[in-house]
Amino acid sequence: MGGDHAPDAVLDGVELAAERHPQARFLLVGDEARVGPALERRKRARQACTLRHAPDVISGDMKPTAALRQGRNSSMRLAIDAVAVGEAAGVVSAGNTGALMALAKIVLKMLPGVDRPALAGLGPSSRGDVVMLDLGANVQCDARNLVEFAVMGDQFARAVLGLPSPSIGLLNVGSEELKGDERVRQAAEILRDGHVGLNFHGFVEGFDLTSGTVDVVVTDGFTGNVALKTGEGALKLVGGMLRQVFTSSIAARLGYLLARPALDRLREWMDPRRYNGAVLIGLNGVVVKSHGGTDGIGFAHAMDVAMDMVNHGFNERIREGLARISTDSGSPGASPARLAAAR
Amino acid sequence: MGGDHAPDAVLDGVELAAERHPQARFLLVGDEARVGPALERRKRARQACTLRHAPDVISGDMKPTAALRQGRNSSMRLAIDAVAVGEAAGVVSAGNTGALMALAKIVLKMLPGVDRPALAGLGPSSRGDVVMLDLGANVQCDARNLVEFAVMGDQFARAVLGLPSPSIGLLNVGSEELKGDERVRQAAEILRDGHVGLNFHGFVEGFDLTSGTVDVVVTDGFTGNVALKTGEGALKLVGGMLRQVFTSSIAARLGYLLARPALDRLREWMDPRRYNGAVLIGLNGVVVKSHGGTDGIGFAHAMDVAMDMVNHGFNERIREGLARISTDSGSPGASPARLAAAR
């Protein structure tokens, strides 16, 4: 029921996902009167889905606290409940992000040793896709949160990109050790310590997000959210300019036709739907947030991401990674004390 | 002497600036043995310039504290000194940003009521150029700093873009009033107060930087620096992809030739040199920072920015704007107390 085009965009997505993953079964949670007829119209989805009625909907502008109090019979809550009891392996929602975070945190609980969930996603670079987190779940973060994000981002890159030892960069205003605020410098010091066991590259800057310098870019949710949307905005701006270029003269129109196959590949590559599906990580369960404005193609991508997480045993691996940085690991390394101080 | 291609890039820039501004005179400060012969080779620059010898240079990796202690006879310091004594109307440097800030702050002093200088610059949007600040001078900011940046950004947009009443947006993770951290919410509350006298639009998000939602985007130096470099990185990525597109087949090459005039305009518009020249504002004097890696065309743009600042009486106007938000303005409005609390 979430997002701007529910339930149709969601069902279009399920139709595509059912085609791509013939072995999968889908539990749809929503208003039976609206979802039922829409489901009937889709051949593959109809066969792959079970529909569960939810009388309420969490609106896009509902505050997380209100969602917690009033959302007990909402589609979002019942879908998360299904993950909690093991009925579903993961949940995908295009609804209210703040409510999804709050409900998922209460119902599924955090993984041991994690302070807060983070939102992780993929973006394009000149060397393939790059993982970035946090994309906006935590507007204020301390050094400890950033270190946790690095551990979780490492596992995310292994799961979704299939990399054996992803390189991790910490976003800063410069690459020198002394740059930035106390928080990023402290996080970098902990990450440099071999104890954490990551392939830590060091500080990276804004242009490293797209230059492929590292596989995972770690930052706080404020900066990450702004960077994500700034990058999207820049790509959209160029897309608009290109449309103007290719309609500016008859010669340019003809030029467009000649270069069209390659331009179409570029358009496809720049398509934000290809990057839809941010994972709420750090939870005891797979939770994927789809962009609210996406269509079926975008929603199907978000479902692909959830499948990757599940198939990769993602949360088990994060649990192992976190154990290496936890204060009760009993290791003789200097990190635990430093981490405790960083809290 | 600053930047990657000194002194040639600087002198190429002066040659262009001398052509564009025939009434202007330029004071070059640097190593006579290196600058002198390079100046001799440039007809217009030679006639428009006075060369002042500086025995020392502040290197790109020198710390600001070291620049303050050891830089008394450096080209950067002597150039700023010339502004302090009124010999020059402003200074343009492609050198070490941290050192430039520190020296300018000590030598020129802050405008009354300003805590710290900010770095302001222009970027492209679908509705014309947009002012953004802070681009990295202050990695940690409180609400009061953000309000000061808004006042200074307003004047910057009037001076450089010639807008009579620029709209101001405060960068956040969402546009709703409750989004973000305490700091941005408090700054927004002050800016909404008519007392400050700005055309305050409210919160804006990352994609608003390029969508032309507002004329001025205000943020802290950490976020601003990351957003600037992320946007640059995204444009560079698309530029690289376009080059691949147009060399991917013979038809695409031919298409490029047909669309070339329009593509050249796009390339020109995306050219980062066109946006070179960030202004260090809040100081008692005009100080412009050029990108260290730019060439003569870029450096000339930075000089254009400095000229605009000077011709517009920029600092006088900022002074007036700041008086409206200062705690001793004697106004009955609620803002002064709120501002004091925001410190």
Side-chain angles (χ1 to χ4, degrees):
Chain A
M1 307 302 293
D4 308 339
H5 313 293
D8 279 311
V10 173
L11 285 163
D12 287 343
V14 173
E15 183 77 359
L16 286 168
E19 190 177 340
R20 283 186 214 157
H21 310 277
Q23 81 294 357
R25 299 277 312 158
F26 305 98
L27 175 66
L28 296 179
V29 189
D31 179 1
E32 218 159 26
R34 287 181 61 202
V35 180
L39 179 59
E40 276 309 303
R41 289 193 297 273
R42 288 162 177 93
K43 202 184 63 178
R44 284 203 188 76
R46 200 173 52 199
Q47 287 165 358
C49 285
T50 309
L51 173 56
R52 173 166 302 165
H53 180 63
D56 298 339
V57 170
I58 288 177
S59 64
D61 56 2
M62 192 184 276
K63 284 188 205 166
T65 48
L68 287 172
R69 276 198 314 272
Q70 303 156 28
R72 297 203 169 270
N73 293 310
S74 64
S75 52
M76 188 186 280
R77 172 66 187 254
L78 295 179
I80 297 171
D81 284 348
V83 177
V85 300
E87 257 187 305
V91 55
V92 183
S93 167
N96 182 326
T97 311
L100 183 66
M101 268 189 60
L103 289 174
K105 203 173 158 179
I106 291 290
V107 175
L108 300 175
K109 308 278 185 297
M110 303 303 300
L111 286 173
V114 181
D115 248 17
R116 317 186 212 171
L119 212 47
L122 293 176
S125 92
S126 54
R127 268 197 334 124
D129 289 349
V130 168
V131 173
M132 183 154 109
L133 75 167
D134 176 25
L135 298 178
N138 309 283
V139 293
Q140 278 171 305
C141 296
D142 60 20
R144 163 80 193 201
N145 297 133
L146 294 172
V147 173
E148 286 174 8
F149 297 168
V151 169
M152 300 194 288
D154 172 68
Q155 285 305 331
F156 186 89
R158 287 168 198 260
V160 177
L161 303 180
L163 300 172
S165 175
S167 59
I168 317 278
L170 186 59
L171 197 56
N172 198 354
V173 296
S175 55
E176 302 84 358
E177 277 194 27
L178 287 166
K179 289 272 184 176
D181 53 26
E182 185 56 28
R183 194 182 46 136
V184 291
R185 285 198 300 264
Q186 202 175 14
E189 201 184 318
I190 298 168
L191 289 167
R192 268 185 221 111
D193 190 321
H195 186 76
V196 180
L198 298 179
N199 176 8
F200 181 57
H201 170 90
F203 290 136
V204 294
E205 302 179 58
F207 38 69
D208 291 307
L209 281 166
T210 45
S211 69
T213 310
V214 291
D215 302 310
V216 180
V217 175
V218 173
T219 189
D220 65 274
F222 193 96
T223 312
N225 186 278
V226 167
L228 172 77
K229 292 174 179 168
T230 301
E232 279 180 7
L235 292 184
K236 197 173 163 194
L237 181 64
V238 180
M241 300 297 289
L242 278 174
R243 266 189 296 281
Q244 277 184 36
V245 160
F246 289 117
T247 51
S248 63
S249 69
I250 292 174
R253 279 176 203 268
L254 194 59
Y256 169 71
L257 290 176
L258 285 165
R260 189 164 176 176
L263 282 167
D264 282 349
R265 283 198 302 277
L266 176 64
R267 193 208 314 267
E268 202 177 297
W269 169 87
M270 277 172 62
D271 189 345
R273 293 178 299 186
R274 210 165 74 76
Y275 299 100
N276 188 38
V279 180
L280 209 50
I281 57 182
L283 293 162
N284 243 319
V286 169
V287 182
V288 174
K289 170 68 177 72
S290 161
H291 198 290
T294 199
D295 61 9
I297 294 172
F299 199 84
H301 270 108
M303 295 181 73
D304 284 345
V305 171
M307 300 265 189
D308 281 342
M309 299 285 105
V310 170
N311 292 334
H312 191 78
F314 181 59
N315 283 325
E316 260 322 296
R317 285 156 177 269
I318 285 193
R319 209 190 285 264
E320 289 161 25
L322 288 168
R324 286 200 299 275
I325 62 161
S326 82
T327 49
D328 51 12
S329 68
S331 149
S335 281
R338 214 182 282 154
L339 272 168
R343 278 229 181 240
Chain B
M1 307 303 294
D4 307 340
H5 313 292
D8 280 312
V10 173
L11 285 164
D12 287 343
V14 173
E15 183 77 0
L16 286 167
E19 190 177 340
R20 281 185 215 157
H21 309 277
Q23 81 296 355
R25 299 278 310 159
F26 305 99
L27 175 65
L28 297 179
V29 189
D31 179 0
E32 218 158 27
R34 288 181 61 202
V35 181
L39 180 59
E40 275 309 304
R41 290 194 295 274
R42 287 158 177 98
K43 201 184 65 180
R44 284 201 187 77
R46 202 173 50 197
Q47 288 165 358
C49 286
T50 308
L51 173 56
R52 174 167 301 166
H53 180 63
D56 297 341
V57 170
I58 289 176
S59 65
D61 55 3
M62 191 183 277
K63 285 189 203 162
T65 47
L68 286 173
R69 276 198 314 272
Q70 302 156 25
R72 298 204 168 269
N73 292 309
S74 65
S75 52
M76 190 186 278
R77 173 66 186 256
L78 294 180
I80 297 171
D81 284 347
V83 177
V85 300
E87 258 187 305
V91 56
V92 183
S93 168
N96 182 325
T97 311
L100 184 66
M101 269 188 61
L103 288 174
K105 204 172 157 181
I106 291 289
V107 176
L108 299 175
K109 309 274 184 299
M110 304 302 300
L111 287 172
V114 181
D115 250 18
R116 317 188 213 170
L119 212 47
L122 292 176
S125 93
S126 56
R127 269 197 335 120
D129 289 349
V130 168
V131 173
M132 183 156 111
L133 76 167
D134 176 25
L135 298 178
N138 308 283
V139 293
Q140 279 172 304
C141 296
D142 59 21
R144 162 81 194 203
N145 297 133
L146 294 172
V147 173
E148 287 174 7
F149 296 168
V151 169
M152 299 194 289
D154 173 68
Q155 286 304 331
F156 187 88
R158 288 169 198 258
V160 176
L161 303 179
L163 300 171
S165 175
S167 60
I168 317 278
L170 187 58
L171 197 57
N172 198 354
V173 297
S175 54
E176 303 85 357
E177 276 193 30
L178 287 167
K179 289 272 185 177
D181 52 26
E182 184 55 29
R183 193 183 46 137
V184 291
R185 286 198 300 265
Q186 202 176 15
E189 202 184 315
I190 298 168
L191 289 167
R192 268 185 219 109
D193 190 321
H195 186 75
V196 180
L198 297 181
N199 176 9
F200 181 57
H201 170 91
F203 289 136
V204 293
E205 302 178 60
F207 38 68
D208 292 305
L209 281 167
T210 44
S211 70
T213 311
V214 291
D215 302 309
V216 180
V217 175
V218 172
T219 190
D220 65 273
F222 193 96
T223 312
N225 186 278
V226 167
L228 171 76
K229 292 174 179 168
T230 302
E232 279 181 5
L235 293 185
K236 198 174 161 190
L237 181 64
V238 180
M241 301 297 288
L242 279 173
R243 265 190 297 280
Q244 277 184 35
V245 161
F246 289 117
T247 51
S248 63
S249 69
I250 291 174
R253 278 175 203 268
L254 193 59
Y256 169 71
L257 290 176
L258 285 165
R260 188 163 177 179
L263 282 167
D264 283 349
R265 281 199 301 279
L266 175 64
R267 192 208 314 266
E268 201 176 298
W269 167 88
M270 278 172 62
D271 188 345
R273 293 178 299 186
R274 209 166 74 76
Y275 298 100
N276 188 40
V279 181
L280 209 51
I281 58 183
L283 293 162
N284 243 319
V286 168
V287 181
V288 173
K289 171 68 176 73
S290 160
H291 198 291
T294 199
D295 61 8
I297 294 172
F299 199 85
H301 270 107
M303 295 181 73
D304 284 346
V305 171
M307 300 264 189
D308 282 343
M309 298 285 105
V310 170
N311 293 335
H312 192 77
F314 181 59
N315 283 325
E316 259 323 295
R317 283 155 178 272
I318 286 192
R319 206 189 286 264
E320 289 162 25
L322 289 168
R324 287 199 300 275
I325 62 163
S326 82
T327 49
D328 51 12
S329 68
S331 149
S335 280
R338 215 182 283 153
L339 271 169
R343 282 232 178 236

